[in-house]
Amino acid sequence: MVDGFFITAIKGFALVNLLMGFFAIMTWVERRLIGRFQVRLGPNRVGPYGLLQPIADLGKLLRKQSVIPAGARPRLYLLAPFVSLTCAIGAFGLMPFGGVASVPGTDIDFHLYMADSNVALLFVAALGSLGFYGLLIGGWASGSKYSLLGGMRAIAQLVSYEVAFTLAVIGVVIHAGSLSFVDIVQQQSDWVWFIVPQFLGFVVFMIAAVAESNRPPFDLAEADGEVVAGYHTEYGGMRFAMFANAEFINAITLSALAAVLFLGGPSGPLLPGPLWMLLKAGFFLFIFIWLRATTPRVRFDQLMSLGWKVLLPAATLNLVVTAAFVVYG
Amino acid sequence: MATVVWFVASACAIASALAVIVQRNPFIAAIALLGNLASLATLYLLLQSDFVAAAQIIVYAGAVMVMFLFVIAYVGPHAEVPDERRHTWQLIAACVAAGAILVEIALAVGRSTLDSAASVEDSFGSPQAVGEVFLTRYVGAFELVSLLLLVAAIAGVVLGSGPRPSRVVDERQRRVQEARDLAASRAGDDR
């Protein structure tokens, strides 16, 4: 806590609400964009341009009957969505949005990040992997074979891509010499965006990030043609919405992470920090949506061989070359 | 603030540790162990060991426990029925071991002077400090452990991969031969 308890609490409240608002708008953007990609209109009936569609969806989900399926373990079944959503929001909370700002009209200064830990990057990775427990617990506690299969797939996918993901990120850490986001952003504004010296690392990172966020073409944990809806087959109403919310917030977090690690984060000319973050993260989110609209789902063996036989060696090579460059270059 | 967090985290650590050994369902016991690891990570944070806390979550909660839960969910909760027989010698051995640990802790706490708070430098427990110690003072042990892990990983692959490929081919050829023999004998019967 860089600003003390009180201001941090206010910042946290504001950040979560902004994130949820952004998520709601992004669901509309995603559906409209996918509509365009598929040569149709997308949701355009509720409100101007269909902008009120997220609110209509929310109303529908809230009014659904809450069912706990027979054969489920009720407590774990109810716990699972909370695990996913808590970890997703927690990971986003560490993203930096700029330096110091002040409240207009007063002389109260505050930082545009919640906390600057010297292991912030590790905490994001830790929360990301904890979030997957929500999928496994939900899949197991539902008492359905499709849910269990989906949960198992999610875990197998996480274990396979976590390694390549972390190795790709370490390349950036070696260049920056720090695990703190503030330092990583500072290094990039002093030198050059890390996407230039770390292009291979960036490619590995992006592929692994799509797999980590469990989105198409790597959405095998909820592949609707194979395991009904995977881990959230037995979830309905707001509980399903929490899973969907966690998944999208993970995608937002990974986009913001990509912006911070490879595109200089909130630093940039003219515009203020948060706006640069929005633009850069929005660019990566567009790539996420683009991939979803245009690629078919991979098979499970393809997913595994891509992770272990292509991404892991590529990330290792990148790591060795980067280390040699930093030491001898 | 730190005192409150300490009490909550300690209570959670003890409660989840109890749940690990009391719970009959291995899946729930594993989740309780996960809670225990998270509580310990919180305690590490209070001890200024940010890096150890993050490593604890990533390594134990993120990798080791994932494999535990994976296997338990895969095998199913009823595959392993706990041994109902109670051995007297087990009970005695457990009590002796627990008593020994209790005495050790009591001695350690009793002898040390806990009246003044320990102080460490700001760099204590940072990734840089931990990494430097690993690659200078403990480099031998560090490399040995990595070798051990490599051996364990290869052993896991060897043990988990089933029969060697050559045997699989032999088996397939044997079956093909059997089928041919069968077909030949049937053809002979028809004539």
Side-chain angles (χ1 to χ4, degrees), chain B residues 160-172:
Chain B
S161 60
R164 299 224 303 271
S166 61
R167 288 189 205 154
V168 173
V169 171
D170 290 348
E171 174 74 13
R172 199 174 292 151

Side-chain angles (χ1 to χ4, degrees), chain B residues 31-95:
Chain B
I31 290 173
L33 183 52
L34 200 61
N36 186 257
L37 294 169
S39 315
L40 287 185
T42 314
L43 290 178
Y44 291 148
L45 276 182
L46 288 179
L47 293 170
Q48 295 189 20
S49 305
D50 297 14
F51 180 72
V52 178
Q56 160 104 348
I57 296 287
I58 290 178
V59 175
Y60 285 101
V64 176
M65 289 312 297
V66 159
M67 299 323 286
F68 275 32
L69 280 175
F70 191 87
V71 171
I72 293 168
Y74 202 66
V75 174
H78 302 297
E80 195 77 20
V81 180
D83 196 355
E84 286 298 327
R85 290 167 297 169
R86 300 270 168 96
H87 297 291
T88 324
W89 62 269
Q90 266 186 346
L91 193 67
I92 295 170
C95 286

Side-chain angles (χ1 to χ4, degrees), chain A residues 226-312:
Chain A
E226 300 158 34
V227 287
V228 189
Y231 63 92
H232 61 61
T233 303
E234 303 292 338
Y235 283 88
M238 281 313 283
R239 291 172 198 149
F240 159 74
M242 284 171 78
F243 269 133
N245 193 348
E247 189 184 302
F248 206 95
I249 287 179
N250 276 332
I252 296 175
T253 305
L254 286 163
S255 304
L257 191 61
V260 169
L261 294 181
F262 295 101
L263 289 190
S267 63
L270 299 175
L271 299 173
L275 210 54
W276 271 116
M277 271 298 277
L278 192 68
L279 283 175
K280 290 169 181 172
F283 169 71
F284 286 115
L285 267 177
F286 177 75
I287 293 182
F288 272 86
I289 295 168
W290 190 0
L291 280 173
R292 174 173 172 181
T294 51
T295 52
R297 184 180 299 127
V298 299
R299 275 200 326 267
F300 202 76
D301 59 311
Q302 291 171 331
L303 175 89
M304 285 295 155
S305 64
L306 176 70
W308 291 109
K309 294 178 187 167
V310 180
L311 291 187
L312 184 58

Side-chain angles (χ1 to χ4, degrees), chain A residues 1 5 73 76 117-119 122-123 125-127 129-130 133 136-137 140 148 152 155-156 158-159 162 177-179, chain B residues 1 25 27-28 31 34 45 50-51 53-54 57-58 60-63 65-67 69-70 72-74 77 126-128:
Chain A
M1 284 186 282
F5 183 77
R73 292 189 159 266
L76 287 179
S117 167
N118 60 355
V119 289
L122 291 181
F123 272 109
L127 284 168
S129 57
L130 279 186
Y133 279 105
L136 181 63
I137 294 172
W140 184 80
L148 183 60
M152 307 293 268
I155 291 297
L158 163 81
V159 171
E162 185 87 342
S178 171
L179 289 161
Chain B
M1 183 76 186
N25 189 321
F27 193 89
I28 297 175
I31 290 173
L34 200 61
L45 276 182
D50 297 14
F51 180 72
I57 296 287
I58 290 178
Y60 285 101
M65 289 312 297
V66 159
M67 299 323 286
L69 280 175
F70 191 87
I72 293 168
Y74 202 66
S126 71
Q128 286 88 347

